[in-house]
Amino acid sequence: SSTGREVQQWAMENGWMLAWALSPKKNLVKSSTWRILDPDVASHLKGSLDLSVEELHSLEADKVIFYSRWRKMENVISEVGDKPWHVRFKVHVELWEELENSLRPSAIGLLRVPRSDQCHDVDLCVGVNSKGNCVCYKSRILDV
């Protein structure tokens, strides 16, 4: 949606990684612990990230997968008058699971929140990918 694109733009302008998550709704979806890394934002900020060559290549492949599902959701949203809140939650879940399953082989696309002992500096890390590697900033971008 246009709001999603605004969030992406804000993240890029401010140097923040962006990961999408599906909010579980009681009895309709099992709570997924995966977050989906936004490949456009990650590509824009890749100079700030400590990524392997494999992970950098994966970002490009992830974009194709991510945007094929994004366009599918945009079509669904346009069918309900550009009001995403009018899309049945079940449809959101189905498209989310389709995207999540498509990104499973990715070196970087799916992330989980890191445990404190999992990454060299958990404060710099965005998450842990499906291969168990930390996805982190190279250095601190903000001191909050």
Side-chain angles (χ1 to χ4, degrees), residues 4 6-21 35-51 55-56 58-59 62-63 66 107-112 114 122-129 134-142:
E6 287 175 27
V7 171
Q8 286 175 312
Q9 190 61 42
W10 182 91
M12 286 187 248
E13 288 171 1
N14 290 282
W16 284 73
M17 288 303 302
L18 176 60
W20 299 96
R35 307 298 181 252
I36 295 176
L37 186 66
D38 189 295
D40 256 358
V41 175
S43 287
H44 181 78
L45 299 175
K46 65 185 174 193
S48 302
L49 299 174
D50 189 12
L51 299 177
E55 290 166 338
L56 286 169
S58 187
L59 274 178
D62 291 352
K63 276 188 194 182
F66 184 86
I108 195 170
L110 296 177
L111 299 175
R112 289 187 188 207
V122 75
D123 293 332
L124 290 177
C125 292
V126 179
V128 176
N129 66 22
C134 294
V135 177
C136 304
Y137 291 100
K138 288 179 182 174
S139 61
R140 295 195 187 283
I141 56 169
L142 290 177

